[in-house]
Amino acid sequence: MELARANAMKIIMALTIVAVSLCLLIIPISVEPDRSQDIKLFEAYVTEYKKPYKFNRTEYERRFERFQRSLRKIDALNGLRMSEHSARYGVTEYSDMTEQEFLALNLHPDLPAHSERHHQCHYHHIHSAKRSRRASLILPMKHDWREKGVVTAIKSQGNCGACWAFSVVEVAESMFAISNKTLSALSIQEMIDCAGNNNFGCEGGDICSLLEWLVISKTRILPEANYPLTRITNVCKLQKKNVESQVGIQVSDFTCDNFVNAEEELLKELVTKGPVAAAVNALSWQNYLGGIIQFHCDGSFANLNHAVQIVGYDKTAEIPYYIVRNSWGSSFGDKGYLYIAIGNNLCGNNFIYITSSYIYLM
């Protein structure tokens, strides 16, 4: 009997050792498929986006590590989705960058410093005086200027940090189309090359500074065909002595204001005036694919780093949202657009619009 019990104990101990051994063997197996899958995703990513480091082993490994961090961040963000309409995140052309690299390439952390001096300018008071006269306006539940045929095609700023010029010129295009029933592409490159008033071409600028320069200098925004986009800062090609005789449109006035805790006023501007340019915080957009952004998008003034165009809104949706046009090409987000929830001052709070006074000389 004792012999049988001893043999049984030996068998149990042997099985325990085998089980422990199997667990130890399983550990690397459970991790390795993740890395293997990540490698396959990265190989496809490098090919799809034609990344230049494909044959540079050191850079390839460095970018792979950053790509893996993006994958983990994407998983975390998607895990917080509240509904099928919430923002979706996935691999984009920026997924092999750190946040710091993404910020340096596409965004401008010094934007608040550029904007600060405009907060108390006279244009702000013009806008504030007009608010009370529209207090009784009944807003439609949705409004989309794209459906009115007054928004030009999505453009890409590439590696040129001139989002400030893209957003202002896009608003000018739309405002002109609303007033004159003609939609024409205007020159962003002219603004990049020529705008003064503390604007620095592809190195950064400010939407209000640009508008102020356009009004004071009486410079006309030329047709894009007359001054094509190159996405690099060139020597200004305008003939200075003939600035006022150039063919184009002239901005005669504009408004800079913020809408903190006054988003209903912003909706009124969108409906009654047209699309607006907006200074926003776009740091969390690195891996955005579509859907409505509801969080992880700090809108404080100190963190503004990008400029976009807001072209409409939809309050009939399960999650009411703004329709935002970006300048990162049509492959970004939803064919170049993204959607931000209304009501929480998400992503930014500084908005401008151009009043509808132009000189049409095209």
Side-chain angles (χ1 to χ4, degrees):
M1 191 69 179
E2 289 297 328
L3 181 60
R5 185 179 292 114
N7 288 337
M9 289 297 296
K10 288 180 182 179
I11 293 171
I12 291 171
M13 289 179 65
L15 289 173
T16 301
I17 292 170
V18 170
V20 170
S21 300
L22 287 174
C23 289
L24 292 173
L25 288 171
I26 287 170
I27 289 172
I29 293 173
S30 66
V31 173
E32 191 61 31
D34 288 342
R35 178 177 171 82
S36 175
Q37 184 63 27
D38 289 353
I39 289 172
K40 290 178 182 178
L41 288 172
F42 187 62
E43 288 172 348
Y45 172 82
V46 169
T47 300
E48 179 179 354
Y49 290 100
K50 299 179 174 61
K51 295 293 181 175
Y53 48 77
K54 185 172 183 178
F55 301 106
N56 182 331
R57 184 175 181 81
T58 301
E59 184 66 10
Y60 190 92
E61 285 297 322
R62 184 183 298 119
R63 293 294 167 185
F64 175 60
E65 289 176 4
R66 293 169 187 178
F67 180 80
Q68 283 188 300
R69 285 201 290 270
S70 287
L71 292 180
R72 304 293 86 80
K73 188 185 302 181
I74 288 166
D75 288 342
L77 288 171
N78 284 333
L80 295 173
R81 296 184 71 207
M82 300 173 69
S83 79
E84 62 178 342
H85 305 290
S86 297
R88 304 184 309 278
Y89 298 88
V91 171
T92 71
E93 64 177 302
Y94 311 115
S95 296
D96 61 348
M97 298 179 184
T98 63
E99 282 192 352
Q100 290 71 28
E101 288 173 324
F102 177 67
L103 182 66
L105 178 67
N106 284 318
L107 309 176
H108 293 281
D110 60 345
L111 193 58
H114 282 282
S115 302
E116 183 64 37
R117 68 190 183 91
H118 295 283
H119 268 200
Q120 299 301 324
C121 70
H122 69 281
Y123 301 110
H124 171 90
H125 298 301
I126 289 173
H127 177 60
S128 297
K130 291 179 180 179
R131 284 185 177 176
S132 60
R133 294 200 295 270
R134 293 195 308 274
S136 61
L137 176 67
I138 300 175
L139 291 171
M141 290 299 291
K142 60 190 300 186
H143 192 86
D144 187 345
W145 283 108
R146 296 174 299 177
E147 297 175 353
K148 313 294 182 182
V150 298
V151 178
T152 55
I154 290 290
K155 299 181 180 69
S156 173
Q157 67 187 71
N159 293 330
C160 175
C163 56
W164 53 278
F166 278 80
S167 59
V168 167
V169 171
E170 288 162 0
V171 169
E173 291 168 342
S174 295
M175 295 297 292
F176 179 78
I178 291 168
S179 298
N180 296 276
K181 313 302 180 187
T182 302
L183 181 63
S184 301
L186 299 175
S187 178
I188 295 166
Q189 191 64 42
E190 177 194 356
M191 305 299 102
I192 293 171
D193 293 348
C194 305
N197 201 23
N198 292 312
N199 293 299
F200 304 102
C202 289
E203 298 305 311
D206 172 67
I207 50 184
C208 294
S209 295
L210 173 55
L211 285 162
E212 188 174 63
W213 176 78
L214 283 167
V215 170
I216 292 172
S217 68
K218 297 182 180 180
T219 300
R220 290 169 184 166
I221 308 176
L222 303 180
E224 185 177 47
N226 291 29
Y227 206 130
L229 184 63
T230 66
R231 299 182 185 85
I232 58 175
T233 307
N234 302 304
V235 175
C236 180
K237 297 179 178 61
L238 293 180
Q239 299 296 321
K240 292 184 179 179
K241 62 182 179 181
N242 297 322
V243 166
E244 293 189 32
S245 62
Q246 294 282 347
V247 174
I249 68 168
Q250 183 174 331
V251 178
S252 64
D253 201 0
F254 72 95
T255 297
C256 276
D257 207 345
N258 72 73
F259 290 84
V260 177
N261 300 320
E263 291 188 61
E264 196 72 7
E265 294 298 328
L266 173 59
L267 300 181
K268 291 176 184 177
E269 300 298 340
L270 279 167
V271 171
T272 61
K273 296 294 183 181
V276 302
V280 298
N281 178 358
L283 187 58
S284 66
W285 301 357
Q286 183 174 355
N287 298 297
Y288 174 83
L289 295 182
I292 303 165
I293 296 172
Q294 298 169 262
F295 40 78
H296 296 306
C297 202
D298 182 8
S300 63
F301 180 78
N303 291 320
L304 301 178
N305 50 39
H306 189 44
V308 293
Q309 183 188 23
I310 302 178
V311 301
Y313 65 88
D314 188 348
K315 295 180 75 173
T316 68
E318 178 181 307
I319 306 167
Y321 61 85
Y322 295 108
I323 303 167
V324 180
R325 170 182 174 165
N326 204 2
S327 55
W328 296 346
S330 58
S331 62
F332 168 80
D334 184 0
K335 299 178 181 178
Y337 288 86
L338 62 148
Y339 309 100
I340 300 174
I342 293 173
N344 294 304
N345 190 40
L346 285 173
C347 297
N349 56 29
N350 261 1
F351 304 94
I352 65 93
Y353 70 86
I354 306 171
T355 56
S356 56
S357 298
Y358 294 98
I359 298 174
Y360 182 48
L361 296 170
M362 296 175 67

